Amino acid sequence: MEFKLYHYWRSSCSWRVRWALELKKVPYQKIAINLLSGDQRSAAQLERNPIGHIPTIEIEPGFHLSESLAIIEWLEERFPEPSLLPRDPKTRAVVREVSHMIAGGIQPLQNLKVLAAVADTAEGRNAWAKKWIEDGLTAVEKRLAPFAGSYSFGGQITMADLCLIPQVYNAYRYGVDMPSKPTLKRIYDTCMKTAECKRSAPENQPDAPAT
Ligand SMILES: N[C@@H](CCC(=O)N[C@@H](CS)C(=O)NCC(=O)O)C(=O)O
């Protein structure tokens, strides 16, 4: 049976999971949940994920899993190759640390429902998102510098890259200064050239608006 991924083209959390599925060559079907229309709060999506977020994956009829890092960890256990975690236990733990810094400490602050609650104007929402992405990525730059190679952790694409690249993509959207984060910028440029990253990128999703 093919997995069903409930996602949105521009959702950074969805991109993490799409990229993992591409890397592990797992076939899946994409079902668009339009965040701007509020589809994440439809009765059907709340049934799948009561907090009203995407991504959600259906791994067998009636069995859904949400939270991108839980989905990626499940994929890692179910489809171990290529691995998205290094073998060394300490480095493995730091991969998880950086993934959670982004998934727990940066992305939630720019969620649509948070932006709507913190400011009434697009200008105010953009300034808030930019401030917290800037703050968070400055910390990630510092934390990753000693570990980084072509990717966040040496020469292996890990779960940390799956979190980082969509976050840097959003940093560009909000006008965050990236030249001051040379490690992150280098990793972003390298990853964006890989086939799986490109295939899972927002603009290449069927629900992305035609340009
Ligand atoms: N911690 C969750 C966060 C999921 C999340 O915040 N998803 C966003 C899109 S990236 C969303 O559904 N937002 C809906 C909203 O703000 O109403 C994960 O990693 O999957």
Side-chain angles (χ1 to χ4, degrees):
M1 181 214 133
E2 208 175 51
F3 301 135
K4 286 185 190 162
L5 181 71
Y6 295 86
H7 79 133
Y8 179 60
W9 69 283
R10 219 177 203 178
S11 146
S12 62
C13 312
S14 300
W15 186 355
R16 296 171 195 155
V17 175
R18 292 194 300 254
W19 191 0
L21 288 159
E22 291 289 343
L23 285 166
K24 290 181 179 290
K25 299 194 180 1
V26 177
Y28 70 105
Q29 187 190 341
K30 294 172 183 171
I31 300 166
I33 297 287
N34 189 324
L35 295 185
L36 300 182
S37 314
D39 293 354
Q40 67 276 30
R41 289 183 296 277
S42 67
Q45 180 56 20
L46 289 173
E47 191 60 38
R48 294 178 207 110
N49 182 10
I51 201 165
H53 289 166
I54 45 142
T56 297
I57 194 165
E58 185 185 84
I59 60 180
E60 56 188 56
F63 191 93
H64 297 101
L65 200 54
S66 294
E67 290 295 326
S68 59
L69 297 189
I71 298 171
I72 293 168
E73 294 264 12
W74 176 78
L75 285 169
E76 180 72 11
E77 287 173 13
R78 175 74 179 72
F79 306 96
E81 298 298 330
S83 178
L84 300 172
L85 291 168
R87 278 173 183 272
D88 169 60
K90 276 200 296 192
T91 318
R92 212 173 161 89
V94 186
V95 168
R96 289 189 167 113
E97 176 192 328
V98 170
S99 303
H100 282 276
M101 272 172 95
I102 297 166
I106 307 177
Q107 182 276 330
L109 292 163
Q110 67 187 68
N111 226 341
L112 284 179
K113 64 183 182 185
V114 173
L115 294 181
V118 295
D120 293 329
T121 61
E123 205 181 27
R125 291 193 281 272
N126 291 348
W128 167 278
K130 183 178 175 186
K131 173 181 163 61
W132 293 114
I133 298 173
E134 170 68 46
D135 180 78
L137 288 186
T138 300
V140 175
E141 168 79 19
K142 194 170 172 194
R143 187 65 176 122
L144 273 187
F147 296 97
S150 306
Y151 304 112
S152 296
F153 290 83
Q156 179 189 2
I157 295 186
T158 63
M159 184 163 78
D161 297 298
L162 273 47
C163 294
L164 178 67
I165 284 14
Q167 190 59 65
V168 172
Y169 174 93
N170 278 349
Y172 279 116
R173 262 185 75 204
Y174 285 105
V176 170
D177 182 64
M178 287 310 297
S180 63
K181 302 167 192 60
T183 310
L184 304 190
K185 187 178 178 311
R186 192 189 71 232
I187 299 166
Y188 179 82
D189 291 343
T190 307
C191 286
M192 287 296 267
K193 291 190 191 112
T194 63
E196 294 81 6
C197 181
K198 278 192 212 162
R199 275 203 296 276
S200 53
E203 283 71 23
N204 295 328
Q205 302 316 304
D207 59 320
T211 47

